[in-house]
Amino acid sequence: MDPHPTTFALTSSRGTRLAARLEVPRGPVRASAVFAHCFTCSKDLRVERQLTAALVSEGFAVLSFDFAGIGASEGELASAGFAADVADIRTAAEHLAAAVAPPALLVGHSLGGAAVLSAAPAIASVRAVATIGAPADPVHVQHVLDGDLAAVRRDGAGVVRIAGRSFEISRAFLDDLAAHPPQASLATFQGAVLLMHAPRDEVVGIENAEALYHAARHPKSFVTLDEADHLLSRADDAVYVASVIGAWARRYLPMADPALQTAYETGGATAVSSDGVRTVVESRGFAMVLDEPLSAGGTQEGPTPYDHLAVALAACTVMTMRLYAQRKGWDVGEIRARATHDRVHAEDCRDDASGKVDVFALDLELPVGLEAEQRASLLRIAGRCPVHRTLSAKTSVVTRPER
């Protein structure tokens, strides 16, 4: 799915114009989302673009915008205040509802994460919220303000530096941060919550994620970002974050586009190749990338077609075993299957002039403690899964040109 970006201006409740961008996938829209960037960042910062692009590739229509005084947006960042940022997210949600569909997902990075947590309960369509490196209390922002905050409170205003940039802030700005803790809003939100945080985040400490996790209701999830920094400076970290959010959100979000529901029920696959070996595939409304190793002329951005055959065999095997165990009333625990593919030489191969046959090796790992009868039955049923039968049978492929 490739995005069709549209840039425009939102009008905030204060009458200021906010620079915004809407990106919609080429295929069916799984759901719509509002993305809120980090404090002093912009929607056009590389990492924020990577995050939104990856979400679009997962089937989300994403609206991102610059908070007041950031990027091409009018106004002053520090004079607007945290409450104004939350209000601007609601404005963005209203625009998205009119343009595509009411937002089902809010995603926020850093202070943007605190803002979406505060905004979520007031947006009826929102069913899931994901944050990246979010502070548990917006007053945490004071820790990154380089200046005399005591003087700001005494004199009513003053200049500070944030990430190397100078801003004039007011005493009201500091008071506003203290008056809107997202933990209180999070405790009232009844949707799903995903908190992503790097343990070594030097800007917003990991203890913030712990506080937010305890404040959130179930269903709630936490994903550690390992060696990532606060700004997700490495491209791989941004893509990983977006892919995890996309996979997680599928569990909780309805399908916004009726065509997507039809595609899921119909099945099949559509492959599109524009340049090189890398190919985008859509199946049942899910977008996937297939590729080849560098040694075969690919870019290694996805599994190979034969990898997907192995995936189908492994998944179908454990599904079949699980359904069989459920029908028997057996609590067998975790079942694992690993499938690999190879072409081996066969002296007596009569159907293949090359003398090679395809071999799928299937390694099964069953829980210890199973009774002998259970183990034998599960191993027997593993060979009866539909994909196993398809791969073992003579299969006909009919190629038809588009009419």
Side-chain angles (χ1 to χ4, degrees), residues 268-312:
T270 301
V272 179
S273 176
S274 300
D275 183 32
V277 177
R278 182 183 183 277
T279 301
V280 177
V281 176
E282 288 185 30
S283 178
R284 296 189 184 273
F286 297 95
M288 298 166 281
V289 172
L290 274 66
D291 208 335
E292 291 287 348
L294 294 175
S295 59
T299 58
Q300 297 187 172
E301 292 187 26
T304 71
Y306 276 105
D307 288 334
H308 274 270
L309 283 177
V311 166

Side-chain angles (χ1 to χ4, degrees), residues 7 16 54 63 82 113 141 189-191 220 243 284 295 298 305 340 355 376:
T7 58
T16 55
L63 190 155
F82 182 73
V141 173
F189 180 58
Q190 299 186 16
K220 56 186 176 180
S243 63
R284 296 189 184 273
S295 59
T340 55

Side-chain angles (χ1 to χ4, degrees), residues 153-173:
R153 292 189 179 280
R154 183 187 65 245
D155 301 333
V159 176
V160 297
R161 291 183 65 80
I162 308 173
R165 299 175 58 192
S166 294
F167 295 91
E168 181 174 349
I169 66 171
S170 64
R171 179 171 54 219
F173 174 79

